[in-house]
Amino acid sequence: MDTKAVRRSLTGLLLTWGVTRLLLLLWVFKVYVFPGPDVTSDVSVIYQGWYDVLRTGTFPQDDVTWQYPPAAALAILSPALLPFLEYTQAFFVMAFAADLVVILLLLYAGLRDGRRLRGAWVWVVGVPLLGPTVYSRYDVMVTAVAVAAVLAAARHPKVAGALVGFGAMLKVWPALILVGIRRRSVWVSAAVTVVVVAGTFSLAMPGAFAFLTFQRDRGTEVESLGSLVFHIARHYGWDGTVLLNYGSVEFMGPWVNIVSTAALALTGMAFGLLLLWRLTATRFQAHTTADAALVAVLMFTTTSRVISPQYMVWLIGLAAAALCFRASRMGLPAVLVLVASFVTVLEFPIWFAEVVGSTPLGITLLVIRNTLLVLATAIGMRELWRETTPEPTPAPPVPDQTPAPTQEAPASS
């Protein structure tokens, strides 16, 4: 490894991280106003409202926008660690701290033998592509836990399992990391952590699992893959509406339940394909866990009836973790995720009004972003399958059944 080249890359990486993160902080603190609607209002209104309820020792049992596992309370309450700041300011600082943790993890992993810094570059470049949304949602905190779990899987399986379990109690999706892990100790550690965390919150705070009943009447979110049906249908007389429902902007009206059900079925099919891969795969290497985690979350995100902009933070984090490994096959899916992240910031928040209004610009942005996600998912699954499943054994050659010609005896003289 060329030490000078590594130092130059490291210097450029840290400088880029510092400049871009300063810009993000300037946006969320409104020193500079980012185009589009104010994405920080979720912190000042929704998160702070939950914070006030959680401080009383109970979950928001009557608030259908609370749709998270019990450990999410820790993320919402985390600004209390900075009592000298008001809630929104403290939350932004905690989000920045989670971002810092991720880059330190990626640097530590990328500087080891057999690794590379391209994963850290994915995180450094990808996060600012989403604009201030990253620091205005607690997803960056969940992503920090998920990245730590993926990077710990090879050398510290029990720690990785505990992190997966804790991440699942923060926002469910980190449980998908288990798809690419064969070691039983990781699964046991994850299960024990889930039981302990869930049990502790159930005993300590009423309403820990009330969220499970809060999504029964969801529609189809306006940025999802299935929403394209209604964006186009609105131009041909579809008489549904767009409403703020369960904390997101969704289509409501005729046929929405059918498209939502189809999305759930598609997610089920995707998980069925993951299960088939898991049962077929035989060649597991050090980077397989990271590659499989990215593919699994891509499948979940792309087929979901809700694709919120902050979901892209998950994909950027897992793509970064995968590309820390020199042998990872996720290079092209990672590039597609980065491009999709840039298109995402264009459709939300910059031109979100165009998306909600189903204008040609809004529809075009959604088609591009969602097509990129579909391509990343398909290519990622193909690469994962090719690398880990055995190639078909060629059939043995069929022996030639044609009888050999008999040689006639020479005629006697």
Side-chain angles (χ1 to χ4, degrees):
M1 182 180 294
D2 187 342
T3 304
K4 290 184 178 180
V6 171
R7 287 179 179 174
R8 285 195 298 269
S9 179
L10 190 57
T11 300
L13 191 150
L14 292 175
L15 182 60
T16 305
W17 184 87
V19 171
T20 55
R21 273 42 179 191
L22 175 60
L23 185 59
L24 287 176
L25 289 172
L26 291 174
W27 280 332
V28 294
F29 281 105
K30 295 186 174 63
V31 177
Y32 297 107
V33 178
F34 196 81
D38 181 14
V39 300
T40 65
S41 60
D42 277 16
V43 179
S44 58
V45 178
I46 299 176
Y47 284 12
Q48 188 159 5
W50 291 339
Y51 173 80
D52 292 336
V53 174
L54 291 167
R55 288 178 63 191
T56 66
T58 184
F59 284 90
Q61 300 180 64
D62 300 320
D63 185 352
V64 295
T65 62
W66 176 263
Q67 300 166 13
Y68 310 108
L74 299 178
I76 303 303
L77 291 170
S78 63
L81 298 173
L82 303 173
F84 48 88
L85 295 175
E86 65 176 21
Y87 182 83
T88 54
Q89 295 174 340
F91 185 90
F92 299 146
V93 173
M94 296 303 296
F96 170 81
D99 182 2
L100 177 60
V101 168
V102 174
I103 190 59
L104 291 176
L105 288 169
L106 294 170
L107 287 175
Y108 177 77
L111 291 172
R112 294 175 54 196
D113 292 339
R115 309 288 180 88
R116 57 197 307 180
L117 289 174
R118 63 175 181 167
W121 274 111
V122 169
W123 180 255
V124 168
V125 173
V127 166
L129 291 178
L130 293 171
T133 300
V134 178
Y135 284 1
S136 303
R137 306 290 187 272
Y138 87 92
D139 296 81
V140 67
M141 304 175 188
V142 185
T143 302
V145 176
V147 169
V150 169
L151 296 178
R155 294 168 59 89
H156 308 285
K158 292 182 180 179
V159 173
L163 289 168
V164 169
F166 181 66
M169 286 289 95
L170 280 170
K171 207 167 184 179
V172 180
W173 67 265
L176 294 172
I177 296 171
L178 293 173
V179 168
I181 298 178
R182 292 192 298 177
R183 301 181 70 165
R184 184 177 299 176
S185 58
V186 178
W187 285 76
V188 172
S189 179
V192 169
T193 302
V194 168
V195 170
V196 170
V197 173
T200 300
F201 275 103
S202 297
L203 294 174
M205 298 176 65
F209 291 93
F211 76 96
L212 293 173
T213 62
F214 286 172
Q215 298 197 42
R216 286 178 295 190
D217 299 320
R218 291 207 71 148
T220 294
E221 195 254 351
V222 296
E223 297 166 86
S224 65
L225 186 64
S227 74
L228 290 170
V229 173
F230 302 110
H231 281 295
I232 296 172
R234 292 175 87 180
H235 292 270
Y236 294 92
W238 181 71
D239 59 353
T241 59
V242 175
L243 297 174
L244 182 62
N245 190 46
Y246 292 92
S248 65
V249 181
E250 300 179 352
F251 281 115
M252 305 292 292
W255 308 104
V256 171
N257 62 329
I258 295 177
V259 172
S260 297
T261 302
L264 292 173
L266 194 59
T267 300
M269 293 170 62
F271 286 160
L273 180 59
L274 279 174
L275 178 60
L276 178 62
W277 165 78
R278 186 65 182 77
L279 295 174
T280 307
T282 57
R283 299 194 298 265
F284 283 74
Q285 303 178 60
H287 62 277
T288 302
T289 295
D291 287 0
L294 174 59
V295 171
V297 177
L298 270 169
M299 284 185 160
F300 171 80
T301 301
T302 304
T303 61
S304 175
R305 55 183 172 171
V306 178
I307 305 181
S308 297
Q310 60 267 27
Y311 289 15
M312 301 302 298
V313 183
W314 315 345
L315 300 177
I316 294 170
L318 292 176
L323 264 61
C324 282
F325 296 88
R326 189 176 297 274
S328 173
R329 303 284 289 272
M330 294 297 117
L332 181 53
V335 171
L336 293 172
V337 166
L338 291 180
V339 179
S341 298
F342 175 69
V343 181
T344 296
V345 82
L346 296 180
E347 61 92 359
F348 182 90
I350 295 178
W351 282 308
F352 192 57
E354 304 289 330
V355 172
V356 173
S358 301
T359 69
L361 174 59
I363 294 175
T364 300
L365 290 173
L366 286 182
V367 168
I368 294 172
R369 196 280 302 273
N370 292 343
T371 299
L372 288 167
L373 289 179
V374 170
L375 286 174
T377 303
I379 294 171
M381 187 70 241
R382 183 193 64 184
E383 293 299 321
L384 183 66
W385 192 282
R386 285 180 174 179
E387 186 181 38
T388 58
T389 57
E391 297 180 0
T393 305
V398 178
D400 189 358
Q401 301 297 325
T402 305
T406 56
Q407 188 174 12
E408 294 182 3
S412 56
S413 56

